[in-house]
Amino acid sequence: MTRHFLEVDDLTPDELEEVLALASVPAGFLPRTLEDQGAALVFEKPSVRTRNSTELAVVALGGHPVYIQGPEVGIDTRETAEDVARTLACYHAVICGRVLDHRVLVRMAAALDAAGLDVPVVNLLSDRAHPCQALADLLTLRQAFPDTAGLTLAYIGDANNVWRSLAIAAAMTGIAFRTASPDGYGPGPEDLARLAGLGLDHLVTTDPAGAAAGADALYTDVWTSMGQEEESARRLRDFAGFTVDEALLARAAPHAVVLHCLPAHRGEEVSAGVLESPRSLVWPQAANRMHAVRGLLAWLGGARPDDDGDLP
Ligand code: CP
Ligand code: NVA
């Protein structure tokens, strides 16, 4: 059965470890699982990190990335998501999409499965999830801390796509998780049930200082995500007090690090001082996007770590 990657828990915890092990292998040592094959990268929203990291990862695996902007293919306007997927599968070994509506990726994967086409769909960010980001986040945490199991990660901000994938990744790797969001922007009952089902040790609060207290890592994301621009003024008001700034970082453990998926809005979800401080891992985190997606694409293409769990 074709394996798609629409959310982190499309992998089992063991498979997640395999992907992370492959992501830690230098590019030239991975099998070229995309040799002479295409990779469709469909973007309905802008990107700096995701497009560039995925293109370079495809090249490192011997493949040819084709970047396609949303209006060119016109998903569900020019033709259906199903027809777009089946057409791209005529040329490409993998279809990666950054979409406005997560259900488009689900429909694409279902259409390929129904047609018996062995082409994985990879989520490069939807309104619901950003699983490739979460892979890079795990890599970054593991570079900073020898043992991430039992670590406490505090997410301060909007319980949106990046938060959801990060929380799922935390659940699958034994990281204790705290979520601090203003009223109305926290996790819903469905998310809480899903995360509880995955065994997440989870504190949910509206108090950022309480969430940050003693935490090993603080994480934040923009207050206004792509597609929510008309809510920006209201969100600026509602998220006041949720900036990851020097005062909040001082509540965390003395060794605490700061992560942010980027793009950052200095003075909103993060202060300029914290973002640029030695405690900030945002640049290695951005670099890890490429290693993470290279490991994922290699895994989807059949590569596995050897018995020692590292080099294939
Ligand atoms: N973090 C992230 O996904 O960045 P881009 O939107 O620039 O791809
Ligand atoms: N939550 C943000 C993440 C950007 C990488 C957004 O969806 O715009």
Side-chain angles (χ1 to χ4, degrees):
M1 200 181 68
T2 305
R3 302 297 300 274
H4 303 287
F5 186 68
L6 306 193
E7 182 51 289
V8 183
D9 59 354
D10 285 343
L11 300 172
T12 66
D14 285 348
E15 290 169 345
L16 174 58
E17 294 303 331
E18 289 180 346
V19 168
L20 294 173
L22 291 172
S24 304
V25 174
F29 292 87
L30 280 172
R32 291 167 66 84
T33 53
L34 288 172
E35 188 76 57
D36 296 331
Q37 300 185 82
L41 313 183
V42 182
F43 279 79
E44 293 190 309
K45 296 177 182 179
S47 169
V48 175
R49 281 145 291 271
T50 307
R51 175 187 174 181
N52 284 276
S53 60
T54 310
E55 284 208 24
L56 271 292
V58 169
V59 170
L61 297 173
H64 182 98
V66 177
Y67 169 68
I68 305 158
Q69 289 192 330
E72 287 179 68
V73 282
I75 294 173
D76 289 333
T77 52
R78 189 165 181 269
E79 58 188 320
T80 65
E82 287 82 0
D83 287 357
V84 171
R86 290 186 61 172
T87 304
L88 292 174
C90 297
Y91 322 117
H92 297 285
V94 59
I95 298 172
C96 306
R98 168 166 284 198
V99 296
L100 297 164
D101 183 343
H102 186 81
R103 290 169 296 185
V104 162
L105 295 175
V106 175
R107 285 169 51 208
M108 286 179 144
L112 297 173
D113 290 344
L117 296 165
D118 187 18
V119 176
V121 175
V122 172
N123 183 0
L124 295 183
L125 181 143
S126 67
D127 55 331
R128 288 200 59 74
H130 199 2
C132 292
Q133 178 68 52
L135 296 179
D137 300 340
L138 286 178
L139 276 185
T140 309
L141 285 170
R142 288 186 175 188
Q143 288 159 359
F145 298 98
D147 185 8
T148 50
L151 211 68
T152 297
L153 171 58
Y155 180 96
I156 314 293
D158 194 11
N160 191 24
N161 44 12
V162 167
W163 166 84
R164 187 170 292 104
S165 295
L166 184 69
I168 290 170
M172 291 173 66
T173 53
I175 296 174
F177 201 75
R178 299 176 184 168
T179 303
S181 314
D183 266 334
Y185 297 95
E190 224 176 275
D191 281 317
L192 292 176
R194 180 179 187 178
L195 293 169
L198 289 167
L200 184 65
D201 172 354
H202 196 189
L203 169 79
V204 181
T205 176
T206 53
D207 171 23
D216 300 297
L218 304 184
Y219 196 117
T220 190
D221 180 17
V222 291
W223 292 342
T224 301
S225 285
M226 291 180 276
Q228 299 175 329
E229 288 76 9
E230 75 286 355
E231 298 172 21
S232 170
R234 176 162 59 81
R235 283 172 170 271
L236 268 178
R237 284 194 303 274
D238 291 348
F239 280 90
F242 282 75
T243 305
V244 174
D245 57 13
E246 287 76 354
L248 197 69
L249 184 54
R251 315 281 303 216
H255 58 258
V257 298
V258 175
L259 287 89
H260 189 315
C261 54
L262 304 177
H265 293 141
R266 290 167 176 79
E268 294 184 21
E269 77 280 357
V270 65
S271 70
V274 166
L275 194 78
E276 304 297 349
S277 77
R279 311 279 287 279
S280 163
L281 299 182
V282 300
W283 303 114
Q285 187 183 0
N288 280 330
R289 292 295 310 277
M290 182 168 67
H291 308 309
V293 75
R294 191 176 64 238
L296 174 73
L297 293 174
W299 190 90
L300 290 171
R304 295 292 179 270
D306 67 12
D307 292 342
D308 297 333
D310 46 27
L311 288 174

